[in-house]
Amino acid sequence: MDHDPKVVLMGEDIGALGGVFRVTDGLQKDFGEDRVIDTPLAESGIVGTAIGLAMRGYRPVVEIQFDGFVFPAFDQIVTQLAKMGNRSAGRVRLPVVIRIPFGGGIGAVEHHSESPESYFVHTGGLRVVTPSTPEDAFWMVQQAVACPDPVVFLEPKRRYWDKGEVPEGAVLRSPGDAPRPFGAAHVARPGADVTMLCYGPMVRTCLAAAEAAAADGTADIEVVDLRSLSPLDLPTVMASVRRTGRAVVVHEAPTTLGLGAELAARVQEGCFYHLEAPVLRVGGFSAPYPAAKIEDEYLPDLDRVLDAVDRVLAH
């Protein structure tokens, strides 16, 4: 915001309060009410206003307070924001970032713990990304703001309290400043026996599973943090699966028609003669998000991830 006066923030309670998760804490004090704007509780209006501002040369960054609250804005995102570039043959670009805290694990209820990424990945014209570490969030949000296309920026809400080193004060001035390209996957842990494909909140879970499997001698697991869900970095995915011959996809969202289904199909098409076992998926169940007291039964955990590893190794 210091380096681009066209960047404006909008959302519910993001000003004086700093947002429900305090992501924008202090920014209204520093940049004023004209650039950090508290909005009414009207998600469709927030995104619609952002589209109009982007058409006038601004770079709006919108906060949706919780994942389940994005659906009132779904029409604006899918039928306007995503399509304007193609509709105008590239003459009108809409550099809008929609930040959405997503996923469960914080003891909240439905509308506050959902994983809606597949709806947006299915929509052409949107980039969909999610960081898994503080450092990645630090760089990736700057890359999202600099991107000329609409970006859905999914923030794993149960990782808001994670601590990590970030280069405080560093500013993205060119694409090469960030340690990883926008849209590139990252091998978070190398391994030889099984590729684990994951993103957002599940990366830490998968890394813990890989360490547990290594400790008991079960398997040497390679963990690939997808980072970008649309577009997918398929060359990195394929290269890993061709090395290991086995793949498990892990996400919080329901497995039915989720990102895991797409990845399983792509891996089957691209790595068929390298696969030693079917691609398995570990995810949420095809049911409404449960009451907080039983969400641990719904979300993938270490046991469910390691059970999938045992099953792919059994082939």
Side-chain angles (χ1 to χ4, degrees):
M1 294 184 74
D2 270 332
H3 295 85
D4 188 349
K6 292 294 187 181
V7 176
V8 296
L9 313 186
M10 298 193 303
E12 298 157 1
D13 293 325
I14 69 164
L17 183 65
V20 170
F21 296 102
R22 306 298 187 267
V23 173
T24 57
D25 190 27
L27 293 181
Q28 190 179 66
K29 178 175 175 292
D30 292 343
F31 294 98
E33 295 181 1
D34 291 337
R35 294 187 65 194
V36 181
I37 303 165
D38 274 323
T39 66
L41 306 182
E43 289 79 7
S44 181
I46 296 168
V47 176
T49 302
I51 292 170
L53 284 167
M55 294 177 77
R56 299 297 295 173
Y58 288 87
R59 290 183 174 274
V61 180
V62 166
E63 177 178 302
I64 301 296
Q65 202 166 62
F66 284 94
D67 33 58
F69 299 170
V70 74
F71 299 113
F74 196 68
D75 177 55
Q76 291 282 5
I77 297 170
V78 171
T79 65
Q80 306 300 336
L81 181 63
K83 293 182 170 57
M84 189 62 73
N86 187 62
R87 187 182 296 158
S88 65
R91 287 187 288 272
V92 178
R93 309 290 292 270
L94 297 179
V96 176
V97 178
I98 301 177
R99 295 181 36 245
I100 307 174
F102 87 119
I106 64 166
V109 294
E110 65 171 9
H111 306 313
H112 296 70
S113 301
E114 294 166 17
S115 299
E117 59 267 29
S118 290
Y119 295 110
F120 303 112
V121 171
H122 185 70
T123 302
L126 299 174
R127 298 187 68 129
V128 184
V129 300
T130 178
S132 63
T133 67
E135 183 194 22
D136 219 14
F138 176 85
W139 287 111
M140 197 184 287
V141 73
Q142 295 187 65
Q143 292 171 311
V145 173
C147 180
D149 300 316
V151 177
V152 175
F153 192 91
L154 297 167
E155 301 173 3
K157 68 170 76 77
R158 70 160 116 169
R159 304 301 181 216
Y160 275 137
W161 296 271
D162 284 5
K163 304 292 185 186
E165 295 292 329
V166 298
E168 190 173 355
V171 177
L172 183 81
R173 297 184 185 278
S174 67
D177 291 341
R180 300 183 187 96
F182 197 45
H186 168 59
V187 177
R189 182 189 190 280
D193 298 329
V194 180
T195 294
M196 201 164 280
L197 304 171
C198 53
Y199 53 89
M202 284 291 99
V203 173
R204 200 171 87 178
T205 303
C206 290
L207 286 170
E211 294 305 319
D216 66 15
T218 304
D220 185 15
I221 297 174
E222 179 152 301
V223 177
V224 177
D225 178 0
L226 296 172
R227 300 178 70 247
S228 174
L229 311 186
S230 181
L232 285 166
D233 179 4
L234 290 174
T236 298
V237 170
M238 300 296 180
S240 176
V241 177
R242 285 171 186 150
R243 279 198 307 273
T244 65
R246 296 175 172 84
V248 175
V249 190
V250 183
H251 53 59
E252 285 192 16
T255 54
T256 303
L257 290 176
L259 204 65
E262 176 67 19
L263 281 161
R266 296 295 189 105
V267 169
Q268 182 269 338
E269 291 170 3
C271 305
F272 184 78
Y273 293 106
H274 296 79
L275 286 172
E276 302 287 345
V279 180
L280 297 186
R281 295 170 293 161
V282 181
F285 301 108
S286 295
Y289 200 84
K293 63 183 178 183
I294 59 170
E295 71 174 344
D296 288 343
E297 306 297 323
Y298 176 90
L299 295 169
D301 60 9
L302 215 61
D303 288 342
R304 287 176 60 195
V305 172
L306 290 173
D307 175 69
V309 171
D310 288 343
R311 285 187 284 141
V312 293
L313 288 171
H315 279 268

